[in-house]
Amino acid sequence: MNPTKIVGIALIVLGCLGLAYGGFSYTKETSNLKLGPIELKVEEKQNVNVPLIVSAAGVVLGIFLLVGVGRK
């Protein structure tokens, strides 16, 4: 399996995940206050939205890499 097909498959999978979920979230931990041995930490939940056009473009590009580039 050549690298072009692997990238194509990865783009299709990531594009489908983007279409299905529309984004992802993660937790960011920050240290707000530090007084000697006492430390106050705050966890913030961050959301990242993946645009629909980016997900669809990933799927289309992945299909193109699998089908179009492999032919001679």
Side-chain angles (χ1 to χ4, degrees):
M1 202 171 210
N2 59 8
T4 306
K5 287 188 178 187
I6 294 172
V7 171
I9 292 170
L11 281 173
I12 292 171
V13 169
L14 291 174
C16 288
L17 287 174
L19 287 172
Y21 293 109
F24 61 93
S25 63
Y26 63 94
T27 304
K28 179 180 172 185
E29 186 175 295
T30 58
S31 177
N32 283 351
L33 179 66
K34 191 172 185 181
L35 295 171
I38 300 172
E39 186 174 352
L40 178 66
K41 293 184 179 182
V42 177
E43 291 183 353
E44 298 176 32
K45 189 172 183 181
Q46 302 286 328
N47 292 325
V48 178
N49 295 324
V50 179
L52 181 65
I53 191 73
V54 173
S55 299
V59 172
V60 170
L61 184 60
I63 291 170
F64 173 74
L65 287 176
L66 278 180
V67 176
V69 176
R71 296 185 184 213
K72 290 185 180 181

